[in-house]
Amino acid sequence: MLLSRQRRVLPGFRLTLGFSLFYLGLIVLIPLVAVFAKTGALTWERFWHAAASPVALGAYRLSFGVSFLAALVNAVFGLLVAWVLVRYRFWGRRLMDALVDLPFALPTAVAGVTLAALYAPNGWIGEWLAPYGLKISYTRLGVFVALTFIGLPFVVRTVQPVIEALDLEVEEAAATLGANRFQTFRRVILPALFPALLTGFALAFARALGEYGSVVFISSNLPLRTQIVPVLIMSKLEQFDYAGAAALAAVMLVVSFLLLLAINGLQWRTARHHQQT
Amino acid sequence: MSVEVRNLTKQFGRFPALHGVSLKVESGELVALLGPSGSGKTTLLRIIGGLEFPDSPDSRVFFYGEEVTHVPAHKRRAGFAFQHYALFRHLNVFENIAFGLRVLPFWSRPKESVIRARVEKLLKLIQLETFGNRFPSQLSGGQRQRVALARALAVEPRVLLLDEPFGALDAKVRKELRQWLRRLHQEIHVTTLFVTHDQEEALEVSDRVAILREGRIEQVGTPQEIYDHPATPFVYDFLGHVNVFAGRVRDGAVEIGEGRFAAPATAGQTAAAASAFVRPHDIRVTRQPGGPAAFAARLKHCHAVGPFARLELERLDTRESFTVQLSQEQFQTLQPRPDETVFVELKNVKVFPEDYSI
């Protein structure tokens, strides 16, 4: 029901809903409307010219493609990290737990500069990879590394509480029914974690799409090769092409929104039976 | 012999859970493991199921003569039902029951039509034919436990292990379900061990009862045997309310206050202090002293609600309290009044040497 009016702990349903709407409007909605308003100043032809130029298309492909891959890698390894943190007791576990949050707190520019230095051909990690012809800094791989770095905590922190809440007896039940470890993971644990994993994936993906600060340092930012959309938008702004930047922003907004909506739909479908208790 | 354990020993940290427990269960038998919490009954069940492993190298577990001591749970074919059901919440009832068949290696996995038929049959057995599409969250506690049982039975286990299967249910559903379990067992005859701390449940459902205390088996026997001939004061006390009287054994009888009661089991024993155990319904209360087999007591309280009346009495000499159970008819005839002095006769007195304690 849209306007459910049962008695609740928080008083003043109308007041709190009104405030929530006002707050969301101020912080989220108005800036978004401004993006479309700015875009609206363009003719269709100019919009199309700005938003569908080869450089823009290349940047979309890189932004969405690499963000997706980074979020996917984070979904796998973030799940692993969360699992280890919850299920095992070892020396330094709390430290490791705290380390996970670091990408949240670290200024992204610092992350970008540090990663670029580490993965450069003369950096601590890059020098081991250079002999094999593997270049990371200033390439697409570098963009991928940066986006993976900033997305990790989102997966770990969404999956961790769900792993904590898993019922060990359910795993034992699967074992007594003849399921081996892999089958237990695949058929019992993963389905229980999937909604949370999807949320973590969506958050990491969304975060990667919006990332600017670290990528600008680790990437060579070459149009059509290593330039992501936010960097392209920034370069348009630097050339005082506000309408062009707004057109790109509008495309990013719509596509991101649709993707997140789709992920939410998928999540709703899988979470349906878990939420009824 | 379908399940046999020998010398099971298990410790959790510094807490010893089992001390050299041995037990044999015949094929098709329904055996209850009864004991207070912390007695090791669940640990014993989990070791049989392969969810826990014994510590000592002398410990052995056999299924139909085959040693399975170190075989992991998923290779044991021991069905297990948990107190809190442990159903798979993301699967509906049908898929929960089919789970054990679907995880079989592909060369021994039945065809879809066979799986379907077997699940349908089990749904019928647990009287939930129309519930196949429901999810566990849409079932009541009793229904969930029946689904958990069907799920365990689907793989045709060599032994069925139930860990306090009715522990989380309310009293009425509990009673219905244990009668249902009894009927089910008569129908399918799979060797079953079940853990309970409820003596009434153990005595009503099982063919034999094993009573555990502090990691050891105190007594094993049919419900009748252990109720009529408890081997230790602990068993006596655990199987229902019991009164303990301090007395002396002499010449094959036990002296309690001025009363003398026959205790044939003590014949030939030297005179010594002893504890006499008497069930509340084996005590007769009269107003006239009935010869040597009676002693005097003061009546403290009467509770006469329900089919039985309960009297709280106090021995005049030692001021020990004890409880008497009378039928409503006896209660009406006697018409006892509080603070009245009455005479007490005991039947079926069981004497254990003094150094035993409950």
Side-chain angles (χ1 to χ4, degrees):
Chain A
M1 223 185 303
L2 189 63
L3 291 171
S4 149
R5 293 204 53 195
Q6 286 169 10
R7 289 192 72 82
R8 293 287 151 82
V9 179
L10 277 182
F13 169 72
R14 283 159 200 254
L15 185 72
T16 46
L17 181 72
F19 180 77
S20 303
L21 287 177
F22 171 74
Y23 188 76
L24 272 176
L26 193 71
I27 302 287
V28 181
L29 227 51
I30 293 177
L32 293 189
V33 170
V35 169
F36 286 107
K38 198 80 192 171
T39 319
L42 292 172
T43 60
W44 262 113
E45 209 170 324
R46 284 194 53 209
F47 173 81
W48 191 251
H49 183 73
S53 68
V55 171
L57 289 179
Y60 297 142
R61 209 174 303 128
L62 188 68
S63 261
F64 285 104
V66 176
S67 296
F68 181 83
L69 283 180
L72 208 62
V73 166
N74 273 329
V76 174
F77 290 97
L79 173 62
L80 194 73
V81 170
W83 185 266
V84 169
L85 284 177
V86 174
R87 284 295 171 92
Y88 301 106
R89 291 290 168 271
F90 52 90
W91 191 87
R93 188 181 69 92
R94 283 176 183 281
L95 187 74
M96 187 167 149
D97 200 46
L99 270 178
V100 168
D101 283 334
L102 215 57
F104 272 149
L106 201 66
T108 52
V110 175
V113 171
T114 313
L115 289 173
L118 279 177
Y119 285 96
N122 55 357
W124 285 356
I125 302 176
E127 67 180 343
W128 296 99
L129 301 171
Y132 303 101
L134 210 61
K135 277 199 245 165
I136 294 186
S137 287
Y138 318 116
T139 67
R140 290 178 172 196
L141 266 180
V143 178
F144 171 75
V145 168
L147 296 185
T148 308
F149 174 82
I150 52 142
L152 178 73
F154 290 92
V155 175
V156 177
R157 289 294 177 243
T158 45
V159 173
Q160 205 173 4
V162 183
I163 298 179
E164 272 163 11
L166 280 182
D167 184 4
L168 278 174
E169 278 190 351
V170 172
E171 287 161 48
E172 292 181 341
T176 60
L177 292 167
N180 59 33
R181 283 164 192 237
F182 173 75
Q183 286 169 319
T184 303
F185 180 77
R186 161 77 190 71
R187 288 170 175 268
V188 176
I189 297 171
L190 202 57
L193 295 182
F194 195 69
L197 198 58
L198 210 55
T199 307
F201 172 83
L203 288 174
F205 181 56
R207 177 72 184 79
L209 278 179
E211 177 60 10
Y212 171 80
S214 61
V215 176
V216 81
F217 287 104
I218 200 173
S219 163
S220 53
N221 302 316
L222 291 174
L224 287 171
R225 293 189 51 80
T226 54
Q227 190 179 46
I228 57 167
V229 182
V231 175
L232 178 62
I233 293 174
M234 196 62 196
S235 76
K236 294 246 183 221
L237 290 178
E238 279 164 353
Q239 294 155 24
F240 305 104
D241 180 7
Y242 295 128
L248 288 170
V251 171
M252 281 299 271
L253 248 175
V254 169
V255 177
S256 306
F257 183 73
L258 289 178
L259 281 173
L260 290 178
L261 201 67
I263 291 173
N264 261 315
L266 193 61
Q267 211 176 318
W268 178 80
R269 269 183 44 163
T270 54
R272 218 169 9 167
H273 298 297
H274 291 272
Q275 279 157 0
Q276 310 165 331
T277 311
Chain B
M1 200 69 55
S2 87
V3 175
E4 184 182 352
V5 298
R6 275 187 220 153
N7 235 333
L8 290 189
T9 299
K10 176 81 186 171
Q11 281 205 315
F12 292 110
R14 297 182 61 190
F15 174 74
L18 292 177
H19 293 282
V21 167
S22 300
L23 179 68
K24 290 178 182 181
V25 179
E26 301 292 334
S27 184
E29 220 180 0
L30 178 52
V31 172
L33 303 174
L34 175 66
S37 57
S39 60
K41 53 196 193 303
T42 295
T43 307
L44 173 57
L45 197 77
R46 288 172 60 85
I47 289 178
I48 297 172
L51 297 173
E52 235 38 279
F53 295 92
D55 298 330
S56 156
D58 310 332
S59 302
R60 298 262 189 284
V61 182
F62 296 93
F63 283 4
Y64 295 93
E66 174 200 340
E67 177 164 0
V68 294
T69 316
H70 302 290
V71 175
H74 71 271
K75 292 184 182 156
R76 257 190 217 205
R77 281 186 53 213
F80 208 105
F82 297 84
Q83 183 176 359
H84 298 288
Y85 329 122
L87 293 175
F88 306 127
R89 289 196 295 167
H90 63 285
L91 298 178
N92 63 23
V93 169
F94 185 98
E95 287 302 324
N96 260 284
I97 298 175
F99 184 90
L101 301 170
R102 297 214 190 279
V103 297
L104 284 170
F106 70 91
W107 59 86
S108 60
R109 193 182 306 151
K111 280 190 296 187
E112 184 62 32
S113 59
V114 178
I115 292 179
R116 194 149 282 277
R118 192 174 312 164
V119 174
E120 299 286 351
K121 205 173 132 198
L122 283 162
L123 281 170
K124 203 171 163 134
L125 191 71
I126 60 168
Q127 297 152 8
L128 292 175
E129 286 111 311
T130 56
F131 286 68
N133 290 321
R134 302 266 188 110
F135 282 83
S137 55
Q138 299 165 310
L139 303 180
S140 71
Q143 290 169 335
R144 287 183 206 183
Q145 192 54 283
R146 268 142 63 196
V147 173
L149 273 172
R151 180 179 70 171
L153 288 171
V155 289
E156 295 176 341
R158 293 192 282 184
V159 49
L160 187 60
L161 307 169
L162 315 175
D163 185 8
E164 302 248 6
F166 314 131
L169 302 169
D170 60 65
K172 189 166 173 291
V173 181
R174 233 181 134 107
K175 281 203 162 155
E176 285 167 13
L177 261 189
R178 70 189 188 214
Q179 282 156 14
W180 175 81
L181 176 67
R182 183 72 252 186
R183 289 198 305 275
L184 179 79
H185 185 258
Q186 273 159 7
E187 219 170 304
I188 57 176
H189 259 307
V190 57
T191 308
T192 305
L193 278 99
F194 84 100
V195 159
T196 179
H197 61 259
D198 178 343
Q199 38 92 15
E200 200 185 317
E201 189 169 291
L203 297 178
E204 187 182 315
V205 175
S206 56
D207 297 323
R208 282 199 302 151
V209 181
I211 297 185
L212 281 96
R213 178 201 188 188
E214 291 173 6
R216 291 191 170 86
I217 290 187
E218 290 265 310
Q219 190 175 4
V220 185
T222 64
Q224 193 76 50
E225 274 166 21
I226 61 161
Y227 192 83
D228 292 346
H229 305 289
T232 65
F234 173 80
V235 174
Y236 211 112
D237 185 52
F238 198 74
L239 290 181
H241 191 81
V242 69
N243 295 300
V244 187
F245 297 97
R248 277 187 80 76
V249 178
R250 187 183 297 167
D251 304 331
V254 59
E255 297 174 356
I256 299 169
E258 63 266 39
R260 250 181 88 80
F261 306 96
T266 65
Q269 269 183 27
T270 50
S275 298
F277 291 74
V278 186
R279 295 260 182 237
H281 56 258
D282 284 333
I283 300 178
R284 209 162 82 87
V285 178
T286 57
R287 288 221 168 73
Q288 310 303 322
F295 60 85
R298 192 175 64 85
L299 184 63
K300 289 199 298 184
H301 301 285
C302 308
H303 310 273
V305 181
F308 296 104
R310 210 175 81 230
L311 311 184
E312 299 281 337
L313 291 99
E314 189 179 77
R315 264 172 78 175
L316 285 186
D317 51 350
T318 59
R319 308 194 73 82
E320 279 180 297
S321 293
F322 59 98
T323 311
V324 176
Q325 183 181 296
L326 298 179
S327 70
Q328 281 294 352
E329 202 177 280
Q330 289 168 317
F331 184 78
Q332 292 304 331
T333 323
L334 187 66
Q335 298 270 338
R337 288 180 305 274
D339 276 330
E340 181 180 14
T341 299
V342 291
F343 295 91
V344 173
E345 294 170 27
L346 309 178
K347 280 190 298 180
N348 296 328
V349 182
K350 177 94 180 166
V351 180
F352 295 99
E354 186 75 317
D355 55 325
Y356 267 115
S357 59
I358 289 182

